[in-house]
Amino acid sequence: MGIPEGDPTKGAKLFKQRCSQCHTTEKGGKHKTGPNLYGLFGRKTGQAPGFSYTPSNINKGITWGPDTLFEYLENPKKYIPGTKMVFAGLKKKNERADLIAFLGEATKKS
């Protein structure tokens, strides 16, 4: 299942509309309902320091990257049963690709 090429500009708009109420992306950004996403790529599930995760999220044991995010963002509760993330998901492949392209840039450690 290939991931379409994403547009980070469209992804930024999607993040603002669908994700920013619960997540931040900048270094040192605060946790909200969901964890700060800075340094997301290459991090294992349930590992953002200072955020209280469910055991399901901690024990999933995958490493976040484009492939895992593409699957997760389609239906978070199916991918990690027991997660407290209430987001229903993004069904459109291109929207997921755009969001991942944005997150790849916005959360990259400098």
Side-chain angles (χ1 to χ4, degrees), residues 24 40 46 49 51 86 96 110:
T24 57
L40 175 66
F51 186 77
V86 296
R96 293 197 312 272
S110 52

Side-chain angles (χ1 to χ4, degrees), residues 25-27 37-39 100-109:
T25 57
E26 67 277 357
K27 182 177 184 175
L37 300 176
Y38 181 78
I100 291 165
F102 166 74
L103 289 172
E105 291 181 358
T107 67
K108 190 175 195 170
K109 290 187 174 186

Side-chain angles (χ1 to χ4, degrees), residues 34-46:
N36 169 272
L37 300 176
Y38 181 78
L40 175 66
F41 286 71
R43 184 168 71 205
K44 287 197 178 294
T45 52

